[in-house]
Amino acid sequence: MNTYRRILSTHKRTILGLLIGITYAHSLLADDVAIYLTEPPDPVPPNVLFVLDESGSMSSNSPSRRDQLVSAMKDIVNDPDMGNVNAALLGYTTNTGNNGPLYLNARTGNFKIIEDNRSAFLNQINRLMTHSYTPTVKALEAAVDWFRNDRTFIDFSNNTMTSPIAGRPEDNKCKPNHIVLLSDGEPNSNTPPSRWRPNYYGLTTYQGTNCASDTTSINQNGRCAREIASWAFNTDLETGTGWEGTQRIITHTIGFETNSSTRRFLTSIATAGGGSFYPAANATDLVSAFQTILTDAQQSIPYTYTAPVIPFNQDNAAVSGNRIYVPMFVPTGTQLWEGNLKSYTISTDTTTSNIVLSDANGDSIIDTNYEFVSSQDHWSTSLDGGDPLVNGAAAHMGESNVSRRLYSNLDGETPHLPLSNSANLVSTTTLAPEDLGVATDDERTELVNWITWNWTAPTPPSGEDPAPSREGSMGAPIHTHPAVVRYGSDKVIYLPTSEGVLEAIDASTGRELWAFMPKDLLPNISLIKTNTESSVPYYGLDGPLTIYKVGTKTMAIVGMRRGGKSYYMLDISNKDAPVFITQITDPNPSTANDAFDGLGQTWSKAIHATMFVGSEISDVLIFGGGYDTDQDSATTRANDDEGNAIFVVKASDGTLLQKLSNSITGVTGMNNAIAADVIPFDMDRNGIVDRIYAADVGGRIIRLDIPENAAGSISGGVVADINGTGATAFRRFFNTPEIGYYNRNGVQYLAIMIGSGNRPNPLDVSVTDRFYMFKDPQVWAAPTSYQAVTESVLYDATDNLLQDGNTAEQATANSELTAAKGWFLDYGTSEKSFSEAVLYNYAVLFTTFSANRNGILADCEARGATGVSRFYAVNMVNGTAMFSDLGGNAATLTGGDRSTVLSMIGIPPTPSLVFPEGDTGMLGKSVKAMVGLEEVTEWPNQLIPIWWEEVISE
């Protein structure tokens, strides 16, 4: 077998000569919401009242329900993440029989911060008892009274309680109020007793509302419970001077080993109270429920919020012909962020060859700071005033007399039934209340009408703002970007959003053709409709979207990112009749070695490729195992139990073909989550993947070698590992590496280039992040053993001594570089890589962002972070400067010429290359490097002979 290399001088380019990274784009951003919404350094503690069942039935089982509750509550109180909560414990039962005196025990006294009063909480938790009956309604009414300044709550022991929102508005106006009501059985004791303390009697009305007595309320036994919760959620408890927003109470319920009627009763309370119902079968379930409620409570702070300006980012756009489709969104202090999609014209300036974006009137859509200005997109008839949410596709959402075609994978019995079939249409006919997590048919109908645009906002109480209309409202494409598919003369734009839907939008009109919402997201419709305050958005479908061909079929697969741990695959060959194919998920996370075991949050884009699987060549999708949320709080490296694998599935139906992990003989080092996109490599250019590179969040680069015949076996291991000891050296990779080939003077290697940065914590300043180039010398064949390049064998190029040093320093630096296995370059304080690198003609181009808090924030204030965007261009071989126009001495290359501060605000996109148009070759023309629409440098007029090497085996 003879192998030879053929040098090609052809350049890839689009019609416009724009290399914009759309057809093979990787996910740019991962978790940067802290940049959009920055909380004060000392977060405000929410007010949470635990209303705990102390009835006799809590003594049932072994261990008893009471003992399991005690265990769970202790876990919560001792959890440092739950400490910043202003809490109180209210136990409830009756003193004697069913109609005996109500026994309400304010066990911890007035509200206290958990982390400052752990001993007191633990002491009272140990004293929880089991006695008599279950006066749930009266306990809930008393709990609401505790929050009210216009009522006095006195417990059974004559202790007078103070409202947690009493005092100065500036100290309390942004503290959310939550009730957590736990019960293990049906309510009772809701009839007037002969004597009472305090004076709570059986209820038939509440605050002027007649209370329903039906099966959901368990007739009279639970009458008025949901009316109390509804009043507490919809009433402003503090309206005096200095108060802002609505001081409401959100009620959550927990059913501990309850029957169906009790679950229905508790669900109705939570739904009416703007909260959630949590079923629990054991102490573990209780801990999970409490953690979820308290975590959400700590994130749901209604700060006074100033939204940041988000500049144009070409990484998130899609180009088709002379149209560019630009997704937009507006961060808010609530769970549902809204967004939009707009259509503009893209072209290149005939004089400067720069990219130009213009609106329907031919005017520029952005200013010199790359912020959007007032413009008219191609789907609108007027200017938008610079508002991202005005006009565009959003303007057509919920238009009058338009019924939304919202589909879900409801019919699980019929494989590949078109979603357009009536069995898969989201409607009151196809969905039961429990499918949406509500208790009644009326609640089900309201949610279905709301999500399908058939909802009319009710008239608000006097003095309150009206509820937002559904018209003109669209979910936010926070980290997703659109893809365009041509159907003959028609085009459809596909876009996942935070509403939890995959949009199909007509490219000619901007109107939604249909939308797909996964079945397991349907219960969250209530959450996004209620849209409570939160510093973290509801993500919905916020993962990467891949459109690809399998034979004659056009397929789509979309992930969830922070929204969950699934991919959803659809056949979109017919633009009007999509077909749901499958959901890719770990069916039982608690069980090892089942299908997709260990799949984490789906951050990694599914890459379409061809590779040998077993004895056959298969059409596959390849994606990283995802993100393990344990990394959110990690300060040093530890192995992950989710995401530490690469999955290979059948492209036609999502069937698992191969899980590449440490469980395979010959593969080692896959210990941390792989959140970024992987790189399938075809070294011999025969169309079959023979290698995969991946970066993990533990700071490793992993190489997997895939045999191209049935007789071979997969091998793999770590080829780079930069993680040091201690928190200050805990560097992580969330970007996809760039790979380049070097061959000079008998030395050849693959250069692996990547920047570090912890995306879940973009404001962190404890780690100095770096850009790396690692040498992989095993270019053409799998190594006999995988040796990890560590920082100790890398050349430190930070000081740029090869150019800036004296003669002796340059000689030493050259010697060290020759012996090194690559190099690294330190970033500045808080500077991180949020984009991939781009390699062209030995120049490595990448961007960074340094986020900083916007000065001192008041307790109830939040706003977007400021920051500095920077562009780098360095030599692949040694990290030195290559362009004299970036920031140093114009006559001499110095370290200052390695980077420049960008004019744009916000996180910068991946650099792009603009090639000259036409077919007359490159001679006498320049290649430009741009970040967004900002030209940062250019190659001088020259013929650049090498674009890629093609290796042909024969």
Side-chain angles (χ1 to χ4, degrees):
M1 177 180 295
N2 297 318
T3 301
Y4 65 91
R5 294 185 293 276
R6 184 173 60 189
I7 304 300
L8 304 178
S9 59
T10 306
H11 290 261
K12 294 180 179 179
R13 52 185 170 80
T14 67
I15 294 175
L16 297 173
L18 170 64
L19 187 65
I20 202 168
I22 297 299
T23 58
Y24 194 73
H26 301 294
S27 272
L28 170 66
L29 301 178
D31 197 44
D32 51 14
V33 294
I35 292 172
Y36 305 132
L37 178 57
T38 306
E39 299 175 1
D42 297 318
V44 172
N47 301 317
V48 180
L49 176 58
F50 294 92
V51 184
L52 304 177
D53 190 344
E54 295 190 84
S55 64
S57 57
M58 288 292 288
S59 63
S60 301
N61 297 344
S62 180
S64 70
R65 293 171 187 162
R66 178 265 179 199
D67 289 348
Q68 292 185 73
L69 173 59
V70 168
S71 174
M73 288 295 297
K74 286 182 176 180
D75 285 350
I76 292 299
V77 169
N78 286 318
D79 185 344
D81 292 335
M82 303 294 112
N84 190 40
V85 174
N86 192 36
L89 304 181
L90 176 63
Y92 70 97
T93 182
T94 58
N95 195 35
T96 55
N98 188 18
N99 290 326
L102 181 65
Y103 191 98
L104 295 175
N105 191 335
R107 291 199 166 276
T108 54
N110 282 313
F111 282 68
K112 299 177 176 66
I113 301 297
I114 290 178
E115 64 186 356
D116 298 332
N117 298 275
R118 283 199 168 91
S119 295
F121 277 98
L122 293 172
N123 178 55
Q124 290 301 317
I125 289 169
N126 279 326
R127 298 179 66 181
L128 290 174
M129 64 181 184
T130 59
H131 178 75
S132 201
Y133 283 77
T134 315
T136 310
V137 178
K138 302 181 188 72
L140 181 59
E141 184 183 20
V144 171
D145 280 354
W146 194 339
F147 281 91
R148 296 173 60 179
N149 275 323
D150 62 338
R151 298 282 290 268
T152 300
F153 170 55
I154 304 173
D155 75 354
F156 188 83
S157 301
N158 283 321
N159 297 309
T160 301
M161 299 297 109
T162 302
S163 167
I165 55 175
R168 302 191 315 161
E170 55 266 38
D171 296 331
N172 294 283
K173 64 185 179 183
C174 64
K175 291 183 179 181
N177 306 302
H178 295 260
I179 290 173
V180 183
L181 173 66
L182 180 144
S183 178
D184 76 331
E186 293 188 359
N188 48 46
S189 308
N190 194 33
T191 54
S194 56
R195 62 187 181 87
W196 209 252
R197 185 193 294 170
N199 194 25
Y200 292 101
Y201 293 93
L203 298 175
T204 59
T205 65
Y206 186 76
Q207 295 294 319
T209 298
N210 290 323
C211 300
S213 178
D214 52 27
T215 56
T216 299
S217 68
I218 313 182
N219 302 313
Q220 178 66 27
N221 285 337
R223 192 174 186 182
C224 284
R226 62 177 179 261
E227 287 79 7
I228 294 170
S230 177
W231 183 89
F233 180 66
N234 292 295
T235 302
D236 192 348
L237 303 181
E238 295 285 0
T239 58
T241 302
W243 291 94
E244 298 175 1
T246 301
Q247 312 307 311
R248 68 179 78 200
I249 307 170
I250 297 173
T251 301
H252 310 274
T253 57
I254 300 175
F256 193 12
E257 295 187 3
T258 51
N259 59 30
S260 59
S261 61
T262 305
R263 289 195 294 272
R264 184 168 59 248
F265 166 69
L266 293 174
T267 299
S268 71
I269 295 174
T271 301
S276 299
F277 167 69
Y278 300 85
N282 49 49
T284 300
D285 291 345
L286 289 176
V287 170
S288 177
F290 287 138
Q291 285 179 333
T292 300
I293 293 168
L294 293 186
T295 298
D296 290 345
Q298 291 178 90
Q299 294 173 345
S300 302
I301 310 297
Y303 294 110
T304 301
Y305 175 54
T306 303
V309 176
I310 300 176
F312 168 73
N313 183 332
Q314 97 271 5
D315 278 1
N316 296 333
V319 173
S320 180
N322 68 341
R323 289 285 190 268
I324 182 168
Y325 304 99
V326 181
M328 305 174 179
F329 67 92
V330 175
T332 64
T334 56
Q335 289 180 311
L336 180 61
W337 289 10
E338 292 190 16
N340 207 344
L341 181 72
K342 298 186 181 183
S343 171
Y344 299 110
T345 297
I346 183 169
S347 59
T348 51
D349 186 289
T350 56
T351 302
T352 65
S353 296
N354 286 349
I355 306 166
V356 176
L357 302 185
S358 54
D359 69 357
N361 301 316
D363 298 324
S364 176
I365 69 168
I366 59 173
D367 59 19
T368 55
N369 290 324
Y370 305 96
E371 300 173 23
F372 291 98
V373 298
S374 183
S375 63
Q376 179 183 326
D377 66 274
H378 288 293
W379 296 328
S380 305
T381 58
S382 61
L383 297 174
D384 60 17
D387 190 333
L389 302 184
V390 172
N391 293 341
H396 300 297
M397 303 284 175
E399 287 179 310
S400 300
N401 303 317
V402 176
S403 182
R404 188 181 204 183
R405 290 198 292 165
L406 179 62
Y407 304 134
S408 187
N409 50 312
L410 300 177
D411 189 349
E413 302 300 320
T414 308
H416 301 180
L417 180 70
L419 287 171
S420 54
N421 186 283
S422 60
N424 288 317
L425 187 67
V426 172
S427 68
T428 55
T429 302
T430 57
L431 294 173
E434 54 265 27
D435 294 327
L436 299 177
V438 295
T440 68
D441 289 343
D442 288 345
E443 292 167 329
R444 179 267 316 272
T445 299
E446 181 172 0
L447 291 180
V448 168
N449 288 342
W450 184 83
I451 200 68
T452 58
W453 304 340
N454 294 309
W455 180 76
T456 301
T459 301
S462 177
E464 290 193 17
D465 294 331
S469 169
R470 286 253 68 197
E471 185 174 355
S473 175
M474 178 178 170
I478 304 175
H479 299 103
T480 61
H481 62 265
V484 183
V485 178
R486 183 185 293 275
Y487 297 88
S489 59
D490 299 329
K491 294 179 184 177
V492 176
I493 307 159
Y494 293 94
L495 178 66
T497 76
S498 64
E499 190 183 14
V501 302
L502 174 63
E503 301 274 10
I505 297 172
D506 188 325
S508 62
T509 65
R511 288 179 168 82
E512 182 185 275
L513 297 172
W514 53 266
F516 166 73
M517 176 177 281
K519 181 179 180 179
D520 44 334
L521 294 187
L522 293 175
N524 295 332
I525 295 174
S526 177
L527 181 147
I528 59 176
K529 178 178 180 294
T530 304
N531 198 24
T532 56
E533 292 88 358
S534 178
S535 60
V536 178
Y538 170 73
Y539 289 95
L541 287 183
D542 193 38
L545 170 66
T546 302
I547 306 292
Y548 60 100
K549 286 276 193 179
V550 176
T552 60
K553 293 183 177 180
T554 303
M555 308 288 290
I557 183 170
V558 60
M560 304 182 74
R561 197 183 160 275
R562 285 282 190 183
K565 300 178 181 179
S566 294
Y567 290 94
Y568 302 93
M569 181 182 289
L570 286 79
D571 178 349
I572 56 171
S573 302
N574 185 332
K575 70 181 181 69
D576 296 311
V579 177
F580 177 76
I581 301 300
T582 192
Q583 176 182 358
I584 296 173
T585 193
D586 184 352
N588 190 349
S590 63
T591 303
N593 300 321
D594 55 10
F596 299 104
D597 179 45
L599 180 64
Q601 289 183 340
T602 48
W603 293 27
S604 181
K605 184 182 178 74
I607 308 299
H608 185 220
T610 302
M611 66 177 276
F612 258 99
V613 179
S615 60
E616 297 182 356
I617 297 176
S618 300
D619 204 8
V620 303
L621 297 172
I622 308 171
F623 49 86
Y627 181 67
D628 188 332
T629 54
D630 290 346
Q631 288 289 332
D632 288 345
S633 56
T635 56
T636 57
R637 187 166 74 181
N639 291 348
D640 290 319
D641 52 14
E642 290 183 348
N644 54 340
I646 294 172
F647 292 93
V648 181
V649 304
K650 195 172 182 179
S652 59
D653 62 13
T655 301
L656 179 63
L657 297 176
Q658 183 79 64
K659 177 184 176 181
L660 306 176
S661 68
N662 289 341
S663 62
I664 296 178
T665 301
V667 175
T668 60
M670 298 184 70
N671 299 322
N672 280 115
I674 299 173
D677 307 345
V678 302
I679 297 185
F681 230 63
D682 178 14
M683 286 301 301
D684 56 11
R685 306 295 295 175
N686 66 350
I688 301 174
V689 170
D690 46 37
R691 190 177 307 171
I692 297 172
Y693 285 99
D696 73 18
V697 298
R700 303 179 188 86
I701 301 295
I702 296 161
R703 167 177 166 164
L704 294 166
D705 290 277
I706 316 297
E708 292 192 358
N709 56 72
S713 59
I714 296 173
S715 62
V718 178
V719 293
D721 184 352
I722 51 85
N723 214 286
T725 57
T728 59
F730 185 24
R731 299 181 182 90
R732 317 188 204 192
F733 291 143
F734 283 85
N735 299 319
T736 303
E738 172 72 304
I739 311 295
Y741 175 64
Y742 177 88
N743 187 1
R744 288 182 182 175
N745 301 321
V747 176
Q748 64 175 339
Y749 56 82
L750 292 180
I752 304 170
M753 292 154 285
I754 189 171
S756 69
N758 184 13
R759 289 181 179 175
N761 190 4
L763 300 178
D764 175 57
V765 296
S766 65
V767 175
T768 299
D769 283 297
R770 293 169 170 169
F771 189 85
Y772 295 90
M773 189 281 280
F774 309 107
K775 298 177 183 178
D776 184 356
Q778 302 296 326
V779 176
W780 307 111
T784 55
S785 64
Y786 293 84
Q787 302 295 323
V789 174
T790 63
E791 286 196 339
S792 63
V793 295
L794 295 177
Y795 171 68
D796 184 350
T798 304
D799 293 334
N800 199 45
L801 294 177
L802 289 169
Q803 291 174 323
D804 295 349
N806 57 38
T807 302
E809 289 172 331
Q810 289 179 345
T812 301
N814 266 307
S815 176
E816 293 175 352
L817 179 67
T818 301
K821 300 296 180 64
W823 52 266
F824 66 81
L825 170 65
D826 277 352
Y827 295 149
T829 302
S830 84
E831 192 174 358
K832 293 174 173 59
S833 286
F834 283 88
S835 73
E836 300 170 34
V838 173
L839 177 65
Y840 182 67
N841 194 35
Y842 293 103
V844 187
L845 316 178
F846 55 96
T847 58
T848 64
F849 184 70
S850 303
N852 301 296
R853 291 187 183 274
N854 263 332
I856 298 174
L857 298 178
D859 286 348
C860 290
E861 180 185 12
R863 58 175 104 98
T866 58
V868 176
S869 303
R870 187 174 289 274
F871 166 79
Y872 285 81
V874 300
N875 192 306
M876 180 192 85
V877 178
N878 52 32
T880 58
M882 295 188 71
F883 301 96
S884 60
D885 58 347
L886 288 187
N889 189 320
T892 307
L893 286 172
T894 66
D897 290 307
R898 296 193 293 190
S899 68
T900 186
V901 174
L902 296 166
S903 301
M904 67 181 298
I905 62 172
I907 299 173
T910 304
S912 59
L913 302 176
V914 177
F915 295 98
E917 295 188 65
D919 298 318
T920 58
M922 298 296 295
L923 189 61
K925 298 186 178 182
S926 300
V927 176
K928 296 179 180 292
M930 304 187 72
V931 177
L933 303 185
E934 182 174 353
E935 181 183 341
V936 284
T937 192
E938 67 179 17
W939 277 261
N941 298 338
Q942 60 178 300
L943 178 65
I944 301 174
I946 298 176
W947 177 241
W948 72 74
E949 280 197 339
E950 182 173 303
V951 180
I952 302 173
S953 299
E954 58 181 27

